Each structure stands twice: as C-alpha cells, then as structure tokens.
Amino acid sequence: MEAPSSHYATNGTTNGAPHIHINGINGVAGPSKGYPPTPPSTHPGTSTPHILNRQYRLHAIILSRSPYLAHLINTAGSSSIHVPIESEPLITEDGFAIALGYLYSSISLHLVTPQNALSVLASACLLGGMEDLCQLAYGACKEHITFETLTDWFQFLDAPPLSSPSNPSTPVGMSPVTASPSTPALELGGPTTVLGPYAQRLRDDILVFVVSTLPQTLQAFPSYSQNPAKPPAAGTESGYDTLLRIYSTLPYHVFKHAVESPSFPVGIGGEQTRFRFAKEAIAARKKTKAGRDAEESVVLAFGKAEGGSAVHVTRKMKKRPLWKVAK
C-alpha cells in the first residue's frame, strides 16, 4: 500500500462511489503533509471525504480501520457520510489529516509535532483504533507543557465542557465519559469529551508543572539545600516575582488548588511563606481578569491538617449593583 506521504485534492464525482463529508474542520483548507494518497481508481469501493471545499478520495476498506468511520459507513442511509466535528475546536484540518493518514500507514507518526499534537490526539481519539498515535501525540503534548506555552494550557484548563457526538465505537478505555482511574481531587472543566481519559491525564500533567515543577525551576523559594536567594540582577525579575505574576493570571480553581497543595514547594519558610505568597498573589490578581470580578481572601489556620495545608483560599463573587428604574 502506498504510504500517505503526499497531499492531494480531487474534484468532481466518483462514478457512484460513496462520499464522506467531513464538516466543521477548524482553520483554512490548504496543502498539508500527511494526507493519504489519491487512489487512482474510481471503483465503487472508494469513498470521497470532503474537507471544507476540498475533496479527497479514499478506499472505504481503509477507512473501515477506524471503528468510528466504519460505523458511519455501515449505517449511512445514502452515499454521503457526514462526520460531525464542527463542535470539536481541538480538531484542525492538519491534525485530522494526519489521523486519516495513519489509517494507511504508520508513517503519519513522524508527522506529529508539538504544534499539532493536541489536534492529532483529539482526531485519533475521535476516529478510534489508533492507540499508538494517541500515545505519541499525548507524549508530545506533555513535553510541550513549558513556561512559554502555559497561557495556552491555561485556556485548556479553563474551557467549558463540550458536548461531543456519541462515538459508538470508541476503544475500550477511551470512553468519552470515562474518567482516568487516577483522577485527582481537583475536577476541572474543559474539552474532555473527545479526548476521553487523555483530557484528565493532560490536566494532571499541567497541574504538576504549575504546582511543583515551575516553582522549583524558577527557584522561587529557598530550599533546605540552597543558600539564601540572591537579589536578581538589575532589570531582571526574581523567580518569586515571576511566579507571582503567573499565579495572578491562573483560573481561580487552579490557583486555589496550587497554593493549598502539599506539593507546592514553599521550602524552609513553611506555612508562613505559603500564606505570604498567597496573600501577595491575591493582591496581584485584583489587577487582572482572573480576580477582578470577585473578592478573594486567604486565611492561615492554627495547626495543620495531616497531609494538608494550613492555608485556605476562598472566593466570593462581587454583587452587581442594582439600578432602580424611575417611574
């Protein structure tokens, strides 16, 4: 079988071959590596997906390697098959094309990059039967959780849940409504449906980075093995101030979870340092969108719960003023 190494587009009909319409791809259609090859035949055993204004001719028997597409092909009442992905903002044309290409050959694994990994993961989860591709794309996403990409991942954490079309043939362990067995105490919103358990795994990875890895990388708090932190060079920001700036923009539920987490590495200062940092972060949050519309506060409780924190963050939404209409 020819490897999916070239982009193709065809127009017109396929002499009675079934058509597959893939609607709602986000982004602009254009040349992209990784599309399956153009089968030279117009045999009725071929299917022709339509992505935006482009038409792609594929073998139906190859598409049937995807449990999801196989179900649509087998239950279609006409020659046109629609893949309803317009409600999946994580899926782009490039990512979906790579997942389609994987049906032809594993060469598509080499096309996954940190930039398209999340879309590839979402596409592979939707189509099903692509665990190798899912694992590779998930690994690329995890490696791409960095200081420079945090803002994008915050949007992933804070996005409202989506209602995705039911996938009748999602592989075992990839149910759109099944949570990861290691679900943490923090339940977050977000586009969980199409990603299945990979959504919670990614959230766990983001939280570990925000709560533990980032403060340690910035050396925001002096540890028992460190000398007292040196003042930053003129014109530069200290690790503590950088962490304050980042935490001032966190979604509230992530901020609260991070500051109260036993994994938050406050170092030798203990709970007093945690309390001071939370207090300064809340003051900074009042100047940002994250805390502007609410009254956030922090208290330091006497004693410390076993395995927990003595610092507790609370939030109360500000009441909007009521205007009386004059008669």
Side-chain angles (χ1 to χ4, degrees), residues 158 247-257 260 281-282 285-299 312-319:
D158 206 33
Y247 271 49
S248 69
T249 62
L250 286 177
Y252 169 73
H253 48 284
V254 180
F255 170 71
K256 174 180 171 66
H257 175 83
E260 296 179 356
I282 288 175
R285 289 171 62 82
K286 293 180 180 179
K287 303 175 184 178
T288 69
K289 182 180 179 181
R292 189 178 298 139
D293 298 327
E295 296 178 2
E296 298 176 356
S297 60
V298 58
V299 296
H312 301 284
V313 177
T314 60
R315 187 188 206 196
K316 182 172 65 174
M317 298 303 296
K318 293 180 180 178
K319 294 182 178 180

Side-chain angles (χ1 to χ4, degrees), residues 51-69:
I51 302 179
L52 290 179
N53 60 335
R54 293 182 180 272
Q55 180 175 308
Y56 304 93
R57 189 179 304 145
L58 303 173
H59 294 93
I61 192 171
I62 299 297
L63 293 180
S64 295
R65 293 174 178 175
S66 159
Y68 183 65
L69 294 180

Side-chain angles (χ1 to χ4, degrees), residues 1-276:
M1 181 69 66
E2 182 184 354
S5 57
S6 61
H7 171 75
Y8 70 92
T10 62
N11 294 299
T13 63
T14 56
N15 299 329
H19 290 68
I20 296 179
H21 298 269
I22 301 177
N23 298 329
I25 290 285
N26 296 285
V28 179
S32 175
K33 296 179 180 179
Y35 284 93
T38 308
S41 171
T42 56
H43 190 273
T46 62
S47 298
T48 307
H50 295 259
I51 302 179
L52 290 179
N53 60 335
R54 293 182 180 272
Q55 180 175 308
Y56 304 93
R57 189 179 304 145
L58 303 173
H59 294 93
I61 192 171
I62 299 297
L63 293 180
S64 295
R65 293 174 178 175
S66 159
Y68 183 65
L69 294 180
H71 172 81
L72 294 182
I73 292 172
N74 292 334
T75 58
S78 66
S79 60
S80 293
I81 301 173
H82 297 266
V83 180
I85 59 176
E86 60 275 3
S87 62
E88 300 295 348
L90 294 182
I91 297 180
T92 64
E93 181 188 2
D94 184 50
F96 197 83
I98 291 174
L100 281 178
Y102 184 76
L103 295 173
Y104 276 79
S105 169
S106 60
I107 195 173
S108 287
L109 295 172
H110 301 291
L111 301 174
V112 179
T113 67
Q115 289 70 36
N116 64 27
L118 187 58
S119 173
V120 172
L121 178 60
S123 302
C125 287
L126 178 69
L127 295 180
M130 304 181 178
E131 190 59 24
D132 287 346
L133 183 59
C134 287
Q135 289 284 358
L136 182 71
Y138 162 72
C141 288
K142 184 176 180 179
E143 292 180 3
H144 199 47
I145 301 172
T146 64
F147 179 84
E148 291 77 14
T149 62
L150 271 181
T151 301
D152 294 333
W153 289 114
F154 291 164
Q155 295 175 359
F156 174 81
L157 285 176
D158 206 33
L162 299 175
S163 56
S164 177
S166 174
N167 188 337
S169 51
T170 304
V172 176
M174 289 295 295
S175 171
V177 296
T178 301
S180 168
S182 58
T183 302
L186 179 62
E187 294 288 346
L188 298 170
T192 62
T193 309
V194 70
L195 293 180
Y198 284 106
Q200 191 61 54
R201 289 172 66 179
L202 279 174
R203 291 187 185 126
D204 293 350
D205 296 331
I206 298 169
L207 288 175
V208 168
F209 184 86
V210 171
V211 175
S212 180
T213 305
L214 182 61
Q216 293 179 23
T217 302
L218 295 173
Q219 295 185 346
F221 307 101
S223 67
Y224 292 97
S225 60
Q226 289 177 335
N227 295 323
K230 296 181 180 179
T236 62
E237 190 177 47
S238 69
Y240 183 91
D241 289 337
T242 301
L243 192 65
L244 269 179
R245 175 168 54 82
I246 294 172
Y247 271 49
S248 69
T249 62
L250 286 177
Y252 169 73
H253 48 284
V254 180
F255 170 71
K256 174 180 171 66
H257 175 83
V259 171
E260 296 179 356
S261 172
S263 300
F264 189 58
V266 292
I268 59 178
E271 294 302 289
Q272 290 290 340
T273 298
R274 185 195 300 269
F275 175 71
R276 179 170 65 89

